[in-house]
Amino acid sequence: MKIRGVPENVETAETTDAGTRPAARPGGRNARVRSQILAATTELVARNGVAGLRYEEIAELAGVNKNSVYRNWPDRAELVSDALLQYAEDSAPLRDSGNLRRDLVDFLMVFSERLSSSIGRALSQAAIASPGNTDLDEAVRVAYDQRLDTARRRFDSAVDKGEIPPVDSYFLTELLSGPVYLYINRRRHPFTREVAEKIVDVVLAGIHATTP
Amino acid sequence: MKIRGVPENVETAETTDAGTRPAARPGGRNARVRSQILAATTELVARNGVAGLRYEEIAELAGVNKNSVYRNWPDRAELVSDALLQYAEDSAPLRDSGNLRRDLVDFLMVFSERLSSSIGRALSQAAIASPGNTDLDEAVRVAYDQRLDTARRRFDSAVDKGEIPPVDSYFLTELLSGPVYLYINRRRHPFTREVAEKIVDVVLAGIHATTP
């Protein structure tokens, strides 16, 4: 489908490789445009909520043509959900370096930085404010479920290697990230790498000790 | 000091025991009035923030005379701080029954109920929204420090009895209550007594296992 004479992928015209779908090339211009749109969407949702979200504003903040936004995301709910998903993934990547303890400490450190940011604070606040029945709440849930999937895969890999006993990945994720959440939001004591290491050590030791 | 001809403690006139300070008698009328004023204050702060707080509204919601509010709390910041303190204490009493595990599980259950309430949600949200430099933030900190003191005393008593090794009570409090916070605010899985027990068991076992 063409919209008002704009090619279906404007970005295609600017790539040398017009026969393939640019979105599939990581780091390509389309991927970059999409990423800018998603970042702008997250910032605007954090600032004004989902109801006030306007494609014109997103395009302006992202520095792209409005049609790029419409074409990639004709559905607004999907745009918000994809934006929060990207934010969540950037917020706390859970790598698999082969060393579970180090990966978890890194994960908590990045999570704490994002929680401290103004966008992180606004999203936490919005999610607490509107339980159950708003677009934002639904988008936060979708993004959150995706992150839990990543965590589950990481824990499964650690279980396979005998690093930890079989474990409820939701429970383990909340056990690890909950204290970080309170350290950051209550601002009573600084959250440091040493604290992150202590959390991971106590929780992993506790999981070992309580698994029959 | 008398204000516009009102006796310093109007409640005194209604007690048989006018020679003592009524506030000191737990369960007395003055204690009840104070408690109603504090509950009304918390509700209004949660609803409108500290800036919009009016003594007239507090008195109306509490069903008391406006002078009772002024007389007991000439300073508004102190009123807000006392209100949040009472709320925090009611929110999650940490008893000392002699059984640390049971006391902690009870504490997490009450904490979870309060977090789920509309006042609890509003206060969490307000505290996240205004870091560092508002009256509310300061009041939340004072109330929170008071609760940490209670936790510290409870943990010290458990250390004395050899139930747990010496421990950083702030760290332990956040480790226990953080996961509850996320279970309630992310609403992905129900928070049950079984979950509370699992949290307490894993954390206490982890503390034992990681203390040299």
Side-chain angles (χ1 to χ4, degrees):
Chain A
M1 191 185 85
K2 304 218 171 192
I3 301 170
R4 279 184 277 156
V6 179
E8 192 165 352
N9 273 297
V10 269
E11 294 77 14
T12 307
E14 295 175 54
T15 63
T16 52
D17 181 357
T20 63
R21 190 174 156 70
R25 298 191 318 155
R29 175 166 152 76
N30 196 35
R32 206 164 58 244
V33 167
R34 286 177 58 96
S35 172
Q36 283 163 351
I37 292 172
L38 294 177
T41 302
T42 302
E43 195 173 329
L44 289 171
V45 166
R47 213 187 284 164
N48 308 320
V50 172
L53 197 64
R54 291 172 53 236
Y55 275 41
E56 287 80 2
E57 271 186 283
I58 295 169
E60 198 185 320
L61 188 60
V64 304
N65 189 293
K66 196 174 72 175
N67 287 320
S68 295
V69 188
Y70 279 116
R71 208 176 42 248
N72 280 292
W73 289 278
D75 183 66
R76 195 173 73 162
E78 211 169 295
L79 169 57
V80 173
S81 161
D82 283 358
L84 296 185
L85 195 54
Q86 171 175 285
Y87 179 78
E89 279 166 0
D90 292 351
S91 292
L94 183 42
R95 279 198 315 274
D96 192 347
S97 75
N99 179 332
L100 182 65
R101 179 183 189 266
R102 190 205 303 144
D103 291 347
L104 291 177
V105 172
D106 286 345
F107 165 80
L108 295 188
M109 292 311 292
V110 180
F111 181 57
S112 75
E113 281 159 29
R114 285 301 179 109
L115 276 180
S116 314
S117 73
S118 58
I119 293 186
R121 253 198 333 263
L123 289 176
S124 299
Q125 204 192 333
I128 292 173
S130 58
N133 51 10
T134 65
D135 281 357
L136 177 58
D137 193 63
E138 185 51 31
V140 168
R141 276 169 176 258
V142 170
Y144 190 58
D145 282 352
Q146 183 81 13
R147 269 185 60 193
L148 285 175
D149 261 7
T150 310
R152 190 184 42 68
R153 281 193 300 274
R154 181 66 189 85
F155 295 143
D156 284 350
S157 141
V159 170
D160 285 347
K161 294 202 288 185
E163 282 185 283
I164 48 170
V167 68
D168 171 347
S169 60
Y170 179 78
F171 176 73
L172 184 49
T173 304
E174 301 305 51
L175 212 54
L176 290 164
S177 46
V180 182
Y181 199 91
L182 293 188
Y183 264 84
I184 299 300
N185 284 313
R186 289 183 171 163
R187 301 174 294 280
R188 233 54 208 103
H189 290 271
F191 183 77
T192 60
R193 191 165 186 94
E194 202 192 333
V195 174
E197 288 170 347
K198 248 174 85 183
I199 292 172
V200 171
D201 287 341
V202 169
V203 168
L204 291 184
I207 292 283
H208 276 287
T210 56
T211 306
Chain B
M1 190 183 89
K2 304 220 172 192
I3 301 170
R4 278 184 276 156
V6 179
E8 194 164 351
N9 273 297
V10 269
E11 293 76 14
T12 308
E14 296 174 55
T15 62
T16 51
D17 183 357
T20 63
R21 189 173 157 70
R25 298 190 317 154
R29 178 169 149 75
N30 198 32
R32 205 163 60 244
V33 166
R34 286 177 59 96
S35 171
Q36 284 162 349
I37 292 171
L38 294 177
T41 302
T42 303
E43 195 172 328
L44 289 170
V45 166
R47 214 188 283 164
N48 309 320
V50 172
L53 197 65
R54 290 174 52 235
Y55 275 42
E56 288 80 0
E57 272 186 281
I58 295 169
E60 198 185 320
L61 187 60
V64 304
N65 189 295
K66 198 174 71 176
N67 288 320
S68 296
V69 187
Y70 279 115
R71 208 176 40 249
N72 281 291
W73 289 278
D75 182 65
R76 197 173 70 159
E78 210 169 297
L79 169 58
V80 173
S81 162
D82 284 357
L84 295 186
L85 196 54
Q86 171 176 283
Y87 178 77
E89 279 167 359
D90 293 351
S91 291
L94 182 43
R95 279 199 314 273
D96 192 347
S97 75
N99 179 333
L100 182 65
R101 178 182 190 266
R102 191 205 302 145
D103 292 346
L104 291 177
V105 172
D106 287 345
F107 165 79
L108 295 187
M109 292 311 293
V110 180
F111 181 56
S112 75
E113 281 159 29
R114 284 301 179 108
L115 277 181
S116 314
S117 73
S118 57
I119 292 185
R121 250 194 339 259
L123 289 175
S124 298
Q125 204 192 333
I128 292 173
S130 58
N133 50 10
T134 65
D135 281 358
L136 177 59
D137 193 62
E138 184 51 31
V140 168
R141 275 169 176 258
V142 170
Y144 190 58
D145 282 352
Q146 183 80 11
R147 270 184 60 192
L148 285 175
D149 262 7
T150 310
R152 190 183 42 68
R153 281 193 300 272
R154 182 65 189 88
F155 295 142
D156 284 350
S157 141
V159 170
D160 286 347
K161 292 202 290 184
E163 283 185 282
I164 49 171
V167 69
D168 172 346
S169 60
Y170 179 78
F171 176 72
L172 184 50
T173 304
E174 302 305 50
L175 212 53
L176 290 164
S177 46
V180 182
Y181 199 90
L182 292 188
Y183 263 85
I184 300 301
N185 284 313
R186 289 180 170 165
R187 302 174 296 280
R188 233 53 209 102
H189 290 271
F191 183 76
T192 61
R193 191 165 186 96
E194 203 192 331
V195 174
E197 287 170 349
K198 249 174 84 182
I199 292 171
V200 171
D201 287 341
V202 169
V203 168
L204 291 184
I207 292 285
H208 277 287
T210 56
T211 306

